[in-house]
Structure formats: structure tokens, C-alpha cells
């Protein structure tokens, strides 16, 4: 009896239509993960079962758990405390990263790096760009822009 493989047969990759793809710089992968849909379905069912067991342990009173034959289980405090602590930890990490990026990583307002960098392209004569259409993309010096706008 012939066993069928979920991956395509090797002869499929020898078609003449694939010659252009094989000559290009793009890597053509023949690595096919076997039975990926079965693994995904198993993980889905397992996680659903774990959620149901967790909800049963959390919501049922101890007398009903004893009727089900479950006598040893962790304290119900941890069933509520671990998710609550995890959510608060995520909130603190979010706020901490926002504060770090704002307070530490942001340049001060008087730092010259907040106005220009090493990639700036200045025109030969910046006065030619005042109230005229530029012929290309150029960076104008900040004092010149302030002078035109505010004086």
C-alpha cells in the first residue's frame, strides 16, 4: 500500500516553468512543514480545554469540585491574582516604556541635533529660496526660516 505524503512530490519542482524562479535571486524553499494543520488544531483544542478547566476551577464552589472527585488544587487566590498581576505588569511596562522614550530618549529642545543632522543638504544661496519655488529638495537653515516667518 502506498503512503501519501502531505508535501508535494519532488518531480513538481523540476517543471520548466520553475527555471526562471530558480535563476533569480529569490530563494525557493522546498521545506514543507508536515501536518501543520493537525498541530494547529491540536493546540487549539488543548488551549480550549485548559481554559475550560481553569474556568471550572475558578468558578465552581469547593463542594462541587469534591463531587467531581477533585480534592487537591491550588488556592483560588492565585486563580485571580496571577492574571491580575500579569495585567498590571503589562500596564506598568507600557507606561514605563512611554516614560523612558519621552524622558530619556528624546533630545532636549536646545540640542542642535533636533534641528539638523549630517544628511542635510543646504542650497548654495539660501536667499534664492525665499518666496520662490525651489528647483529641488533642499534644507533651509532654521534662522533663515524663522527670519522670514516671524520678522
Amino acid at each position: 500500500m502506498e503512503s501519501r505524503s502531505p508535501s508535494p512530490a519532488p518531480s513538481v519542482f523540476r517543471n520548466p516553468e520553475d527555471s526562471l524562479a530558480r535563476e533569480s535571486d529569490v530563494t525557493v524553499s522546498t521545506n514543507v512543514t508536515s501536518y501543520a494543520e493537525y498541530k494547529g488544531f491540536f493546540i487549539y483544542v488543548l488551549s480550549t480545554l485548559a481554559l475550560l478547566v481553569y474556568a471550572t476551577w475558578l468558578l465552581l464552589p469547593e463542594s462541587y469540585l469534591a463531587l467531581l472527585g477533585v480534592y487537591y488544587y491550588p488556592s483560588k487566590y492565585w486563580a485571580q491574582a496571577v492574571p491580575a498581576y500579569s495585567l498590571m505588569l503589562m500596564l506598568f511596562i507600557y507606561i514605563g516604556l512611554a516614560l523612558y522614550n519621552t524622558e530619556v530618549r528624546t533630545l532636549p529642545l536646545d540640542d542642535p541635533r533636533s534641528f539638523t543632522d549630517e544628511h542635510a543638504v543646504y542650497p548654495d544661496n539660501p536667499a534664492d529660496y525665499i518666496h520662490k519655488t525651489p528647483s529641488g529638495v533642499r534644507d533651509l537653515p532654521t534662522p533663515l526660516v524663522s527670519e522670514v516667518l516671524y520678522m
Side-chain angles (χ1 to χ4, degrees):
M1 180 186 276
E2 183 179 338
S3 173
R4 298 199 83 201
S5 172
S7 62
S11 62
V12 172
F13 297 114
R14 294 191 194 118
N15 288 340
E17 294 99 23
D18 291 340
S19 62
L20 183 62
R22 298 238 178 245
E23 292 171 3
S24 69
D25 293 338
V26 179
T27 303
V28 179
S29 175
T30 59
N31 184 11
V32 178
T33 304
S34 62
Y35 305 109
E37 61 273 5
Y38 299 119
K39 293 176 186 176
F41 181 71
F42 176 73
I43 291 172
Y44 169 74
V45 169
L46 190 65
S47 63
T48 304
L49 183 64
L51 178 66
L52 289 174
V53 168
Y54 171 77
T56 303
W57 166 53
L58 178 63
L59 298 174
L60 283 181
E62 293 180 10
S63 59
Y64 285 110
L65 289 174
L67 286 175
L68 292 174
V70 178
Y71 297 103
Y72 178 75
Y73 45 85
S75 171
K76 290 195 179 191
Y77 167 80
W78 293 109
Q80 298 171 4
V82 169
Y85 289 155
S86 301
L87 286 174
M88 291 307 296
L89 180 64
M90 286 190 288
L91 178 68
F92 288 148
I93 288 173
Y94 178 77
I95 291 172
L97 285 174
L99 288 174
Y100 174 75
N101 286 332
T102 302
E103 298 296 328
V104 177
R105 302 289 294 173
T106 303
L107 295 172
L109 291 177
D110 58 351
D111 192 336
R113 292 178 294 171
S114 61
F115 298 112
T116 186
D117 61 1
E118 66 273 4
H119 302 292
V121 179
Y122 292 109
D124 296 330
N125 188 4
D128 292 341
Y129 284 82
I130 299 175
H131 303 295
K132 296 179 184 171
T133 304
S135 61
V137 177
R138 298 282 186 258
D139 295 316
L140 295 177
T142 306
L144 176 66
V145 173
S146 297
E147 181 181 332
V148 171
L149 290 177
Y150 304 113
M151 297 209 180

